[in-house]
Amino acid sequence: MANILQFSKNDLEIIKRETVYQGHFEFQRVHFRHKLFSGGVSGEVVRELLIKGAASALIAYDPVLDNVVLVEQVRIGAYDEKAENSPWLLELIAGMIDTDESPEQVAIRESQEEAGLTVQHIEHAISVWDSPGGTVERLHLFLGLVDSSKVGGIYGLPEENEDILVHVVSREQAYQWLCEGKIDNVIAVVGLQWLQLNYQKYRK
């Protein structure tokens, strides 16, 4: 299949990178120029980037009971003093890839840490960029087939200040919550939409 994109990475030139802040994440200021659709080359463009790296997430699906396993935890980025929305979100199991583990290994480990899950089968579902206009983060989503019949409780690593409540809900309920805007974080939205398109291949 022919490449539908007009330009490649060779059509962008990095002039300079500056590290503005280095903490749990890195904040950079990047100077670059790039080719223009109208011809020629742009002037120098300056953008700030939050460098997060990569993360793995698991679409934990029980094909026998047609359930999904979701986790609930507080997210400070979702706290808004002017809004009534709760900063506790329903999410997929997920974690940053900050070790020498593969994305698949991270998804499996996080499933145990965040939900006490044993993944019976895992396969890559989709990888996407998270807000690449200002953030460097690649999200790798995996389908994990699980037995949800004895899942539930409170999990998380105290040393990472995790306080995670595990939910088991029907696939239909989870998708309904997505449609109603009750599930509104990008990893869960992408993962549950992918599952809705593909779940029939895994039903038993």
Side-chain angles (χ1 to χ4, degrees), residues 29-49:
R29 182 175 292 116
V30 183
H31 302 246
F32 66 99
R33 61 174 63 96
H34 61 88
K35 285 187 178 179
L36 300 170
F37 291 121
S38 59
V41 179
S42 72
E44 182 174 322
V45 181
V46 181
R47 293 286 185 269
E48 285 75 34
L49 283 177

